[in-house]
């Protein structure tokens, strides 16, 4: 069957009418430009009258160019000349220069130009428009231009036969399709949805890409995941956000929120000022982008708003064009108004069994969290220790992951290292572990026998432990002055500050700065090189519990014991905003306190904030400090003791007072795995308290599935899954309804 150009052109007219009647305005005018069959002068006129110069230029350029002929040259010249005359800075500003150099310079001199035409083009170099024209009413000048352009358009050979739309019966294409397939209006989705799918296939085959993807957005019948992946691959994340925004928004559900957030992360990565937050530098930008692209696709497939729009019905090639031609052939042969023997089809989009509309809804399978009750179910190693059994207050890996540092409540530090030939501890395999030949860490003690001990606070009950590492130096406090230790030999090289007000938290900020939060709610910004206080920030009434810095936004976030969050600019040190983080919280009777913020942390991309309370955790948007997602553990779980991101930001490790660690997906807060540490006490040979729980959890800086947990008995245990796919890989699946029935709740 030969599908000639005349049938194709007639079909485009039918589609244009359908778009116009259905209100698909953007698709309508894009198809006019992509197909070139109809020049809608009223659209061009409206663009000019409203001063939408780019729309007017783009529309005209789709049909002709300044080089095409004298009429086209005059049309463009008139358009650019008026645009130039209305520029607010014609005396030499950037807008006027841009119009002059980019637009007016496009006007050529053609062979058939008259003497007057030639003078007009040459005069571009010395265009003098009275200055007062910028202050007068612009409407008359624009209206006059429309009249002039219409005359030129009627004489323009490039627009010949394109200015008049053919006379068609109302809803001609819908009526035609209804005639061909009378049964399609009886099912879910109906005639229009089928027709849109047919049009989408036609646009795809005709390579009208602009119209195709705009129609997808305006109709919301098909979410083109391939197109989304394509624009992300090209780095056009603004387009990706616009496309996604046509189908869903931040507030629809947690999957939609997570998709928009992943796109924000990609935009952040694209910034020239971006530096990877992972200290080890092992996660380069490309690998991060690949992960984020895959994450967006995965979230789209899980998103209930999008799942019905992800599958496109299978159909024969050129299905719509074929149907139209069959009807035209029948009409030509019969040449009658009778509908006798009209060709009828039983379906429009593929066979009934393959149509997406007839698919039975598949159950969302609930993923049962993997539960680890025995040390044999994971890689577990208790670090050797001969010090006191005071519970661990702070814990961290080195930036490269070659040592683990802990601070106990009795103000003593513990440092475990691996020798240069043994620094692959984090990469050991299950096989090596079972053979008991994996590298062993050692509790480091310098030859001098020195230990790193902080000055204790006068009141142990009110003391707060904190430390931070800068290079080979450790800054640490346990309620007294801030001590500075050399990690190479454990020498105490300096101390500063005063016991009152007491330092409760501090972090380093680029620019050789140290931000110190105090128990009176104030924050001091110290310049280390000058040893002077640069700024004093006041916005809290209660003691500072945590500080976090974002290089991406150049902001500092602070939290206090009353649940208040403050956002500070690190450029001007002005408080940008503040919020009480407890407002969204649902009270739980089994918790003594719900307002205390125990920890805040930026994700590895430094664009989203994790806020940890003793009863719940939340993800906050940095610029507004609004909570976008909140996770309240099951009522049987006691207080949260600690929580932290994995190195890639994909999961969050949450420690509980009951002795367990839950591993949850950072985008959905779905529980992937639960580790019950109470059964791990047999790993240690020393006396162990009856009640053992994780007091602090630290994530390996470059291996997302490895963590170390500081325990209430003073021990530190390193954990890693047996399986390569992560903590949730081995979890069995069960078809028992919607994911929302999980015992942990997200809001």
């Amino acid at each position: 069957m030969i599908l000639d150009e005349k049938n194709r052109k007639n079909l485009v007219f039918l589609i244009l009418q359908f778009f116009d009647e259905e209100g698909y305005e953007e698709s309508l005018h894009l198809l006019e430009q992509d197909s070139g069959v109809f020049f809608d002068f009223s659209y061009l006129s409206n663009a000019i009258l409203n001063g939408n110069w780019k729309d007017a230029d783009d529309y005209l350029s789709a049909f002709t160019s300044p080089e095409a002929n004298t009429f086209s040259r005059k049309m463009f010249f008139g358009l650019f000349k008026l645009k130039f005359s209305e520029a607010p800075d014609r005396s030499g500003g950037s807008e006027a220069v841009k119009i002059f150099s980019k637009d007016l310079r496009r006007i050529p001199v053609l062979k058939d130009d008259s003497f007057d035409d030639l003078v007009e083009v040459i005069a571009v170099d010395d265009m003098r428009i009275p200055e007062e024209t910028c202050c007068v009413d612009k409407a008359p000048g624009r209206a006059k231009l429309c009249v002039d352009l219409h005359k030129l358009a009627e004489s323009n050979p490039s627009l010949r036969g394109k200015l008049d739309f053919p006379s068609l019966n109302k809803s001609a294409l819908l009526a035609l399709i209804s005639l061909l397939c009378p049964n399609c209006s009886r099912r879910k989705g109906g005639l229009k949805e089928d027709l849109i799918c047919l049009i989408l296939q036609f646009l795809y085959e005709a390579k009208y890409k602009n119209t195709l993807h705009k129609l997808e957005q305006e109709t919301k019948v098909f979410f083109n995941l391939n197109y989304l992946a394509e624009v992300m691959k090209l780095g056009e994340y603004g387009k990706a956000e616009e496309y996604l925004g046509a189908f869903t928004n931040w507030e629809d559900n947690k999957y939609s929120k997570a998709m928009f957030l992943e796109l924000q992360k990609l935009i952040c990565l694209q910034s020239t000022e971006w530096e990877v937050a992972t200290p080890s530098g092992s996660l380069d930008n490309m690998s991060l982008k690949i992960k984020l692209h895959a994450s967006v696709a995965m979230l789209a497939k899980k998103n209930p708003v999008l799942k019905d729009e992800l599958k496109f019905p299978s159909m024969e090639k050129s299905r719509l064009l074929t149907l139209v031609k069959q009807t035209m052939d029948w009409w030509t042969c019969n040449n009658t108004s009778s509908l006798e023997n009209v060709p009828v089809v039983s379906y429009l989009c593929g066979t009934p069994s393959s149509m997406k509309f007839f698919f039975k809804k598949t159950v969302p399978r609930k993923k049962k969290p993997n539960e680890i009750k025995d040390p044999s179910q994971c890689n577990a190693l208790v670090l050797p220790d001969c010090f006191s059994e005071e519970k661990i207050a702070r814990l961290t890996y080195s930036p490269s992951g070659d040592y683990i540092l802990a601070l106990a409540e009795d103000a003593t530090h513990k440092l475990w290292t691996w020798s240069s030939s043994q620094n692959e501890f984090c990469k050991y395999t299950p096989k090596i572990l079972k053979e008991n030949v994996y590298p062993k860490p050692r509790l480091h003690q310098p030859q001098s026998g020195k230990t790193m001990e902080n000055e204790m606070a006068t009141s142990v009950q009110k003391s707060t432990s904190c430390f931070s590492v800068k290079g080979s130096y450790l800054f640490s406090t346990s309620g007294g002055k801030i001590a500075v230790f050399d990690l190479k030999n454990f020498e105490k090289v300096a101390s500063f500050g005063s016991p009152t007000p007491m330092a409760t938290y501090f972090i380093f900020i680029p620019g050789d700065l140290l931000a110190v939060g105090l128990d009176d709610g104030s924050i001091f910004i110290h310049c280390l090189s000058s040893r002077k206080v640069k700024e004093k920030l006041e916005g809290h009434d209660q003691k500072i519990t945590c500080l976090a810095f974002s290089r991406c936004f150049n902001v500092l976030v602070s939290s206090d014991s009353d649940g208040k969050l403050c956002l500070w600019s690190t450029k001007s040190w002005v408080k940008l905003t503040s919020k009480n983080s407890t407002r969204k919280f649902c009270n739980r009777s089994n918790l003594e306190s719900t307002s205390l913020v125990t920890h805040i942390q930026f994700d590895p991309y430094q664009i989203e904030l994790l806020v940890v309370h003793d009863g719940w955790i939340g993800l906050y948007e940095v610029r507004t400090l609004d909570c976008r997602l909140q996770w309240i553990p099951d009522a049987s779980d006691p207080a949260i003791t600690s929580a932290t991101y994995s190195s890639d930001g994909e999961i969050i490790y949450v420690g509980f007072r009951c002795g367990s660690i839950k591993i949850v997906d950072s985008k959905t807060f779905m529980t992937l795995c639960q580790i019950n540490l109470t059964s791990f006490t047999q790993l240690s040979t020393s006396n162990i308290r009856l009640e053992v729980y994780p007091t602090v959890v630290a994530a390996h800086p470059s291996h997302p599935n490895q963590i170390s947990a500081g325990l209430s008995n003073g021990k530190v245990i390193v954990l890693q899954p047996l399986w390569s796919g992560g903590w949730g890989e081995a979890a069995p699946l069960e078809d028992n309804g919607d994911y929302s029935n999980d015992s942990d709740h997200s809001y």
Side-chain angles (χ1 to χ4, degrees):
M1 182 188 300
I2 300 175
L3 303 175
D4 55 63
E5 187 58 32
K6 183 178 180 181
N7 281 326
R8 191 182 302 273
K9 185 177 180 181
N10 288 336
L11 178 54
V12 171
F13 280 123
L14 290 170
I15 294 173
L16 287 172
Q17 184 201 39
F18 174 71
F19 285 174
D20 184 49
E21 291 177 343
E22 295 299 316
Y24 304 143
E25 287 291 321
E26 292 184 77
S27 299
L28 169 67
H29 299 302
L30 281 174
L31 182 55
E32 289 167 353
Q33 297 171 66
D34 285 344
S35 65
V37 301
F38 174 63
F39 185 88
D40 187 351
F41 191 84
S42 63
Y43 174 75
L44 179 70
S45 297
N46 287 331
I48 293 171
L49 293 173
N50 292 317
N52 298 327
W53 303 112
K54 186 180 184 305
D55 291 345
D57 185 4
D58 289 346
Y59 193 79
L60 183 58
S61 298
F63 293 86
T64 187
S65 68
E67 299 83 10
N69 54 64
T70 300
F71 299 100
S72 292
R73 181 189 62 74
K74 288 186 174 183
M75 292 181 76
F76 279 101
F77 184 80
L79 185 66
F80 297 155
K81 183 177 178 181
L82 185 60
K83 179 182 176 183
F84 178 81
S85 72
E86 292 188 5
D89 52 1
R90 286 185 294 108
S91 58
S94 59
E95 181 65 20
V97 171
K98 182 181 177 182
I99 297 170
F100 184 83
S101 61
K102 184 181 177 182
D103 295 336
L104 286 167
R105 285 292 183 182
R106 287 169 53 192
I107 307 300
V109 176
L110 302 177
K111 290 188 301 183
D112 56 344
D113 279 340
S114 66
F115 179 77
D116 291 338
D117 297 329
L118 188 62
V119 170
E120 188 177 47
V121 175
I122 295 174
V124 167
D125 286 322
D126 190 29
M127 181 177 288
R128 302 185 188 278
I129 301 173
E131 195 69 32
E132 60 270 13
T133 58
C134 65
C135 303
V136 300
D137 185 12
K138 298 172 182 177
R142 293 176 179 179
K144 183 180 184 305
L145 175 62
C146 291
V147 173
D148 295 340
L149 290 182
H150 191 266
K151 292 178 181 177
L152 290 168
E154 289 181 319
S155 304
N156 195 328
S158 296
L159 302 178
R160 187 172 295 131
K162 299 180 179 181
L163 293 172
D164 297 316
F165 197 85
S167 177
L168 297 172
N169 291 333
K170 185 179 180 181
S171 306
L173 186 56
L174 272 173
L176 179 64
I177 296 301
S178 180
L179 183 67
L180 289 172
C181 188
N183 293 328
C184 64
S185 59
R186 299 176 185 174
R187 55 152 193 82
K188 182 183 176 183
L191 178 64
K192 286 184 182 178
E193 195 165 310
D194 272 1
L195 178 55
I196 290 167
C197 289
L198 291 169
I199 293 172
L200 287 172
Q201 186 208 36
F202 170 75
L203 295 174
Y204 174 78
E205 292 178 344
K207 296 181 171 56
Y208 297 151
K209 280 194 171 183
N210 292 333
T211 311
L212 171 68
H213 301 307
K214 184 54 67 177
L215 184 63
E216 290 167 351
Q217 295 173 65
E218 288 193 298
T219 60
K220 301 175 181 62
V221 167
F222 175 59
F223 184 84
N224 194 330
L225 197 53
N226 289 335
Y227 172 69
L228 187 66
E230 179 185 330
V231 294
M232 288 195 299
K233 187 176 180 181
L234 295 172
E236 297 175 340
Y237 301 119
K239 275 189 179 180
E241 277 193 311
E242 179 188 350
Y243 189 80
L244 178 62
F247 293 83
T248 184
N249 58 61
W250 282 77
E251 304 304 320
D252 279 347
N253 56 58
K254 57 192 172 186
Y255 298 101
S256 295
K257 288 178 182 177
M259 289 180 76
F260 281 107
L261 182 62
E262 299 298 70
L263 289 174
Q264 286 295 315
K265 291 177 182 178
L266 284 163
I267 292 171
C268 186
L269 279 175
Q270 199 177 42
S271 169
T272 54
E273 298 179 359
W274 169 257
E275 295 178 26
V276 178
T278 306
S280 65
S282 62
L283 295 176
D284 57 272
N285 279 16
M286 186 54 66
S287 62
L288 289 174
K289 286 180 180 178
I290 291 171
K291 278 190 174 184
L292 289 170
H293 287 190
S295 175
V296 171
M298 179 272 294
L299 289 165
K301 292 172 183 176
K302 289 184 176 181
N303 196 327
V305 174
L306 302 178
K307 66 179 182 179
D308 288 338
E309 280 73 48
L310 287 174
K311 293 181 179 179
F312 194 80
S314 62
M315 60 183 83
E316 297 92 338
K317 185 179 180 181
S318 305
R319 177 68 171 165
L320 181 57
L321 200 55
T322 303
L323 292 173
V324 171
K325 189 176 188 307
Q326 286 177 348
T327 309
M328 292 300 103
D329 291 344
W330 167 82
W331 181 264
T332 303
C333 294
N334 286 270
N335 196 22
T336 175
S337 58
S338 171
L339 297 182
E340 186 179 356
N341 297 323
V342 64
V344 174
V345 294
S346 58
Y347 61 91
L348 291 175
C349 302
T351 60
S353 60
S354 66
M355 289 170 59
K356 73 168 187 173
F357 310 111
F358 291 108
F359 278 133
K360 291 183 179 179
K361 285 191 175 181
T362 57
V363 181
R365 290 190 296 178
K366 178 180 174 182
K367 198 168 188 177
K368 182 180 180 181
N370 190 22
E371 189 169 6
I372 296 175
K373 299 179 179 179
D374 188 86
S376 63
Q377 294 177 280
C378 69
N379 290 329
L381 178 66
V382 174
L383 300 183
D385 187 3
C386 58
F387 283 95
S388 68
E389 295 184 352
E390 289 295 326
K391 72 179 181 180
I392 303 298
R394 299 291 176 186
L395 187 69
T396 188
Y397 281 88
S398 71
S400 59
D402 59 351
Y403 69 74
I404 293 175
L405 179 65
L407 172 60
E409 281 199 341
D410 63 356
T412 61
H413 297 84
K414 307 175 187 183
L415 180 67
W416 291 271
T417 64
W418 289 264
S419 64
S420 58
S421 61
Q422 294 181 325
N423 60 6
E424 295 298 311
F425 166 76
C426 55
K427 297 181 182 177
Y428 62 76
T429 64
K431 182 179 179 182
I432 294 176
L433 182 68
K434 290 176 182 177
E435 292 174 356
N436 202 30
V437 294
Y438 55 88
K440 295 290 181 65
R442 62 186 178 90
L443 184 63
H444 179 68
Q445 288 179 295
Q447 291 182 350
S448 64
K450 288 182 179 292
T451 59
M452 295 184 291
E453 292 187 20
N454 287 334
E455 176 186 315
M456 291 286 289
T458 53
S459 174
V460 179
Q461 288 76 16
K462 294 182 179 180
S463 68
T464 302
S465 301
C466 178
F467 64 42
S468 189
V469 177
K470 184 176 178 65
S472 61
Y473 292 96
L474 168 67
F475 288 62
S476 182
T477 184
S478 295
K481 290 184 177 182
I482 297 175
V484 183
F485 297 96
D486 188 334
L487 290 173
K488 296 175 183 177
N489 53 27
F490 288 8
E491 288 279 354
K492 184 176 180 179
V493 296
S495 64
F496 61 96
S498 60
T500 55
M502 180 173 60
T504 53
Y505 204 90
F506 49 83
I507 60 169
F508 293 102
I509 296 176
D512 206 28
L513 301 177
L514 177 70
V516 181
L518 305 177
D519 64 353
D520 65 356
S522 59
I523 302 169
F524 284 85
I525 308 300
H526 294 263
C527 180
L528 296 176
S529 56
S530 66
R531 299 188 178 184
K532 293 181 179 179
V533 174
K534 184 176 181 179
E535 295 285 345
K536 180 182 180 182
L537 311 182
E538 295 181 318
H540 293 276
D541 298 322
Q542 304 297 321
K543 80 170 183 177
I544 303 299
T545 57
C546 201
L547 300 169
F549 168 73
S550 169
R551 183 183 288 108
C552 182
F553 296 115
N554 287 311
V555 293
L556 176 72
V557 181
S558 55
S559 63
D560 66 24
S561 57
D562 200 32
K564 185 179 182 180
L565 300 174
C566 289
L567 182 70
W568 312 87
S569 166
T570 56
K571 299 290 187 182
S572 61
W573 298 111
V574 171
K575 186 172 74 172
L576 302 175
T577 188
S578 62
K579 289 282 176 71
N580 189 321
S581 64
T582 62
R583 286 180 183 174
K584 260 192 110 177
F585 181 69
C586 300
N587 290 327
R588 280 177 48 183
S589 58
N590 61 331
L591 294 178
E592 296 179 3
S593 170
T594 57
S595 63
L596 176 65
V597 175
T598 58
H599 183 64
I600 56 176
Q601 178 191 9
F602 280 100
D603 69 332
Y605 310 93
Q606 299 189 338
I607 66 172
E608 187 169 48
L609 189 72
L610 170 66
V611 176
V612 183
H613 287 247
D614 49 7
W616 55 275
I617 63 175
L619 297 181
Y620 284 67
E621 296 173 25
V622 179
R623 294 172 184 173
T624 60
L625 292 182
D626 289 332
C627 182
R628 75 164 188 87
L629 192 62
Q630 189 182 48
W631 184 68
I632 303 172
D634 188 75
S636 61
D637 290 322
I640 293 171
T641 58
S642 177
T644 187
Y645 274 112
S646 60
S647 61
D648 61 0
E650 295 296 311
I651 52 181
I652 298 173
Y653 297 96
V654 187
F656 289 89
R657 185 69 171 72
C658 63
S660 67
I661 296 176
K662 282 192 175 183
I663 301 162
V664 300
D665 185 291
S666 64
K667 301 176 190 65
T668 63
F669 283 155
M670 182 176 75
T671 301
L672 304 174
C673 181
Q674 178 168 323
I675 306 171
N676 296 319
L677 289 178
T678 51
S679 61
F680 283 44
T681 56
Q682 62 191 34
L683 289 176
S684 177
T685 57
S686 60
N687 294 326
I688 293 180
R689 298 174 184 174
L690 294 176
E691 188 179 38
V692 178
Y693 61 90
T695 54
V696 60
V697 180
H700 191 284
S702 58
H703 292 268
N705 290 315
Q706 187 186 117
I707 57 169
S708 59
L711 306 179
S712 57
N713 64 359
K715 301 299 178 183
V716 174
I717 185 171
V718 179
L719 301 165
Q720 186 168 298
L722 287 172
W723 42 91
S724 60
W727 292 103
E729 185 185 82
L733 297 173
E734 63 177 5
D735 293 327
N736 61 345
D738 196 289
Y739 156 69
S740 60
N741 293 327
D742 196 3
S743 59
D744 299 327
H745 310 287
S746 300
Y747 297 91

